[in-house]
């Protein structure tokens, strides 16, 4: 278990418990140098598969954040003045390094986050996809021009960098989520401060080594480890112009409010409760395999995890036996074990919380169709919960309302698509959803009416590709501009409109008149 308390109120800026351990102490990275944090608080970074302490992350404070912001501010004038081609070259170089070091990055994701290696490789591949899209900046950063807004006058809108941008990221995608922001921010001419989750800081360390190796100028990207104090330092720092956040709903709300109060632009992505609707005509075997990987992949710790399954009409009779049988075949184990279908959850505190959620579901009347509370033959010291299904869940039960963030699938049964849509829309969040059917009319009706940011059709995890915007709606997102795709360029640039004429220029007609006069 990490020594990080998960119950602090967002406003609580007190440092969390100091861990006593002989493990390596991580350093912050700023101005191109690795430096010790100025604080004395640390949190143990553990391998969730066996409890091994991998490192100690410093709980940096405001001074550390300000030092990083100073390095980023100093680097900005030169960095933003470089040509777009030069900046893009660095993004290509990052992409090459990610490809070369995919095994190292994936191993790190598994070691500190627990997911199985195939999922970790998929995560790094998604990060590479985002980096590739950022390489399109010479096209996507272009502005607009209109000739002749008045006689001899043109107007043009250009995009310029915003300044120092910061990202605060969650534990469940240590390689991918930082790369949702970093490549777009810097290719657009900004400099950057990253505050990764204190539970998984090691992959960010590798990312900064990569940036060092490719010769990225000092201060363009800076890394500050820590938790609440570092976050509050970012939110209050006058030098930071934009904040990107990914994490739980309560933290997202807090980040959005405090950063906006301080005049920053903000995109804050929150938690989720994603519904999967199975229609009577769904293709049973493919639907079940997609539902399983959506619900239990990454041990259910995905913001796009399908956590509620809703069968419509006769779909219940068609899929439930198979769903149970296939779920019972899944194996929880160390993410490095090729036989494991899912790895551990992030901490023993998460394990306890998930057990509690299952017990509450049973107390409230749900049927425990598959019980994963005591998975067999998992390594000692690990935080394992096996795949679990709570059946006959009702909308008012906690299993329907809480984001359990573990391998627990809540199943509900309704008779019509209308009822299914009502269930989806009564939830406060609206991140992702999927519908399984071959009926185009049902798909069209569902996609039009659900209040959710990302919809999958016969796709379990409907995460937008990197060249499209990614985000939920309602409590799953606070802000305006989504992550990656065109929105990323919008978020990481400021528009400036220049309206111009030249008195000696041809567009006024004068040039030609004078040339003509000479003849
Ligand atoms: P979290 O909110 O606990 O932490 C996220 C970040 O915020 C971390 O860097 C952490 O240090 C910081 N933080 C946490 N509590 C804070 C507080 N009280 N004050 C200031 N900073 C604080 O989230 P997590 O547990 O790391 O990640 C899981 C959550 O993230 C889930 O709810 C999941 O759905 C969500 N998530 C959402 C998306 C999305 O795209 N919408 C993607 C990934 C994860």
């Amino acid at each position: 278990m990490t020594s990080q308390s998960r119950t602090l109120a967002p406003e609580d800026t007190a440092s969390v418990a100091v861990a006593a351990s002989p493990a390596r102490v991580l350093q912050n990275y700023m101005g191109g140098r690795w430096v010790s944090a100025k604080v004395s608080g640390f949190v143990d970074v553990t391998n969730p598969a066996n409890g091994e302490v991998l490192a100690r992350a410093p709980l940096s404070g405001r001074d550390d954040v300000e030092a990083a912001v100073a390095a980023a501010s100093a680097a900005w004038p030169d960095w933003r003045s470089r040509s777009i081609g030069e900046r893009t070259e660095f993004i290509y170089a990052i992409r090459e390094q990610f490809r070369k070091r995919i095994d190292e990055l994936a191993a790190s994701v598994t070691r500190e986050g627990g997911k199985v290696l195939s999922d970790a490789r998929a995560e790094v591949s998604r990060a590479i996809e985002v980096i590739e899209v950022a390489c399109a900046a010479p096209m996507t950063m272009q502005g607009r021009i209109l000739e002749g807004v008045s006689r001899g006058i043109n107007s043009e809108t250009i995009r310029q960098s915003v300044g120092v941008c910061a990202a605060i990221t969650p534990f469940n995608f240590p390689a991918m989520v930082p790369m949702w922001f970093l490549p777009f921010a810097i290719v657009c001419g900004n400099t950057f401060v990253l505050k990764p989750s204190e539970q998984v800081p090691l992959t960010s360390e590798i990312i900064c080594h990569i940036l060092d190796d490719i010769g990225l100028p000092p201060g363009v990207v800076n890394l500050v480890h820590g938790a609440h104090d570092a976050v509050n330092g970012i939110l209050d720092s006058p030098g930071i112009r934009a904040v990107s956040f990914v994490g739980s709903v309560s933290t997202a709300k807090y980040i959005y409010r405090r950063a906006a109060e301080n005049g920053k632009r903000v995109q804050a992505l929150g938690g989720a409760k994603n519904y999967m609707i199975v229609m009577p005509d769904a293709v049973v075997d493919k639907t079940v395999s997609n539902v399983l990987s959506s619900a239990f992949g990454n041990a259910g710790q995905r913001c796009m995890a399908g956590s509620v399954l809703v069968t419509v009409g006769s779909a219940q009779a068609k899929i439930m036996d198979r769903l149970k049988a296939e779920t019972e075949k899944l194996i929880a184990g160390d993410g490095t074990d090729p036989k494991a279908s899912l790895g551990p959850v992030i901490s023993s505190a998460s394990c306890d919380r998930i057990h509690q959620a299952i017990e509450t579901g049973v107390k409230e009347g749900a049927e425990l169709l598959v019980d994963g509370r005591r998975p067999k033959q998992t390594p000692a010291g690990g935080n394992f919960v096996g795949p679990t299904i709570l059946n006959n869940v009702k909308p008012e039960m906690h299993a329907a309302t809480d984001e359990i963030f573990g391998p627990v699938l809540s199943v509900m049964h309704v008779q019509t698509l209308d009822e299914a849509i009502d269930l989806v829309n009564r939830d406060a969040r609206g991140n992702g959803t999927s519908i399984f059917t071959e009926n185009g009319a049902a798909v069209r009706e569902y996609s039009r009416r659900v209040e959710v940011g990302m919809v999958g059709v016969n796709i379990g995890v409907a995460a937008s590709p990197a060249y499209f915007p990614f985000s939920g709606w309602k409590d799953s997102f606070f802000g305006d501009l989504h992550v990656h795709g065109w929105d990323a360029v919008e978020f990481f640039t400021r528009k400036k409109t220049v309206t111009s004429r030249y008195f000696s220029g041809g567009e006024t007609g004068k040039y030609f008149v004078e040339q003509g006069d000479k003849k």
Side-chain angles (χ1 to χ4, degrees):
M1 180 180 171
T2 67
S3 50
Q4 168 78 50
S5 161
R6 308 298 297 157
T7 53
L8 284 177
E11 287 78 7
D12 190 343
T13 58
S15 284
V16 288
V18 176
S21 122
R24 178 171 74 93
V25 173
L26 303 183
Q27 292 189 303
N28 293 330
Y29 177 73
M30 50 187 74
R33 291 187 311 122
W34 293 94
V35 296
S36 299
K38 297 192 182 88
V39 292
S40 54
F42 298 91
V43 62
D44 281 351
V45 181
T46 55
N47 180 336
N50 55 26
E52 179 198 356
V53 178
L54 303 169
R56 302 171 72 203
L59 294 165
S60 304
R62 283 174 195 275
D63 288 352
D64 300 293
V65 170
E66 279 311 315
V69 174
S73 303
W76 185 42
D78 171 66
W79 181 245
R80 74 175 166 196
S81 305
R82 296 191 184 213
S83 74
I84 182 75
E86 201 179 338
R87 291 200 303 265
T88 307
E89 278 294 325
F90 281 105
I91 312 299
Y92 279 114
I94 297 171
R95 184 240 189 207
E96 284 317 300
Q97 287 297 314
F98 263 64
R99 279 167 61 99
K100 265 196 204 134
R101 296 168 76 161
I102 187 166
D103 291 336
E104 179 191 354
L105 285 159
S108 170
V109 167
T110 295
R111 197 178 313 116
E112 64 179 352
K115 64 183 64 164
V116 296
L117 266 175
S118 55
D119 280 349
R121 276 185 76 88
E123 173 182 344
V124 181
S125 299
R126 287 285 298 201
I128 293 170
E129 187 185 292
V130 182
I131 298 167
E132 286 168 351
V133 175
C135 290
M139 296 290 290
T140 54
M141 244 192 107
Q142 289 177 12
R144 285 165 179 266
I145 183 162
L146 181 63
E147 186 185 52
V149 292
S150 189
R151 189 177 167 85
I153 299 180
N154 292 352
S155 283
E156 61 187 305
T157 296
I158 55 174
R159 292 182 180 281
Q160 295 189 328
S161 56
V162 175
V164 180
C165 301
I168 300 157
T169 55
F171 79 80
N172 62 336
F173 284 98
M176 181 184 76
V177 172
M179 301 316 278
W180 277 356
F181 309 109
L182 187 156
F184 286 109
I186 66 172
V187 82
C188 290
N190 305 286
T191 52
F192 192 72
V193 176
L194 172 63
K195 204 300 286 174
S197 166
E198 65 280 14
Q199 300 188 90
V200 293
L202 298 171
T203 308
S204 295
E205 195 183 43
I206 300 176
I207 292 171
C208 287
H209 280 299
I210 286 175
L211 303 178
D212 225 24
D213 291 349
I214 64 164
L216 191 74
V220 173
V221 172
N222 307 276
L223 173 71
V224 179
H225 295 294
H228 312 73
D229 289 351
V231 170
N232 287 330
I234 287 171
L235 301 178
D236 296 341
S237 172
I240 292 178
R241 305 262 178 86
V243 174
S244 303
F245 171 82
V246 183
S248 55
V249 171
S250 60
T251 323
K253 275 187 186 165
Y254 169 68
I255 301 275
Y256 184 68
R257 180 165 44 83
R258 189 151 168 176
E261 257 171 26
N262 287 324
K264 304 179 196 314
R265 56 174 70 183
V266 198
Q267 46 181 186
L269 283 76
K273 190 82 179 174
N274 304 314
Y275 283 69
M276 298 180 284
I277 311 302
V278 181
M279 298 296 286
D281 70 331
V283 177
V284 172
D285 54 342
K286 293 198 163 51
T287 296
V288 169
S289 71
N290 273 279
V291 165
L292 291 185
S293 74
S294 179
F296 304 128
N298 201 10
Q301 301 170 113
R302 275 200 292 233
C303 66
M304 292 297 283
S307 46
V308 183
L309 175 70
V310 181
T311 67
V312 177
S314 61
Q316 177 179 1
K318 289 177 186 156
I319 74 155
M320 287 310 291
D321 286 349
R322 189 168 181 129
L323 184 73
K324 179 174 188 294
E326 294 299 319
T327 301
E328 285 169 343
K329 289 181 194 163
L330 299 175
I331 299 167
D334 188 320
T336 58
D337 179 349
K339 289 196 295 295
S341 331
L342 65 156
V345 296
I346 189 69
S347 63
S348 62
S350 285
C351 225
D352 294 346
R353 188 178 43 74
I354 295 162
H355 278 214
Q356 188 68 51
I358 297 168
E359 275 142 34
T360 303
V362 173
K363 268 192 212 134
E364 289 180 338
E367 174 198 4
L368 190 53
L369 197 63
V370 181
D371 183 359
R373 285 175 296 177
R374 279 165 213 82
K376 291 187 195 107
Q377 292 167 351
T378 51
N383 313 313
F384 292 96
V385 184
T388 298
I389 298 181
L390 287 167
N391 191 22
N392 293 322
V393 167
K394 302 289 175 242
E396 58 286 352
M397 292 180 183
H398 283 90
T401 57
D402 294 359
E403 183 184 33
I404 297 173
F405 221 55
V408 180
L409 178 65
S410 302
V411 183
M412 304 166 90
H413 307 288
V414 297
Q415 290 312 310
T416 65
L417 181 59
D418 274 346
E419 288 172 77
I421 292 172
D422 283 349
L423 281 177
V424 175
N425 287 346
R426 66 184 278 168
D427 196 276
R429 295 138 298 194
N431 207 42
T433 184
S434 296
I435 183 167
F436 292 88
T437 180
E438 298 297 302
N439 181 328
V443 168
R444 190 169 289 190
E445 186 68 4
Y446 187 73
S447 309
R448 190 176 65 79
R449 285 173 51 194
V450 285
E451 292 172 19
V452 176
M454 292 170 280
V455 180
V457 179
N458 297 315
I459 290 176
V461 180
S464 321
Y467 24 87
F468 282 90
F470 178 110
S471 172
W473 283 13
K474 302 199 294 188
D475 276 2
S476 292
F477 180 61
F478 302 91
D480 171 19
L481 295 166
H482 293 188
V483 167
H484 58 60
W486 289 97
D487 280 28
V489 176
E490 289 284 343
F491 186 78
F492 288 114
T493 57
R494 289 185 287 187
K495 292 189 278 291
K496 181 182 278 178
T497 299
V498 180
T499 300
S500 59
R501 71 175 161 206
Y502 297 95
F503 295 117
S504 58
E507 285 160 356
T508 58
K510 191 176 170 209
Y511 178 83
F512 292 108
V513 172
E514 285 178 355
Q515 294 298 307
D517 286 351
K518 280 184 196 152
K519 279 187 187 160

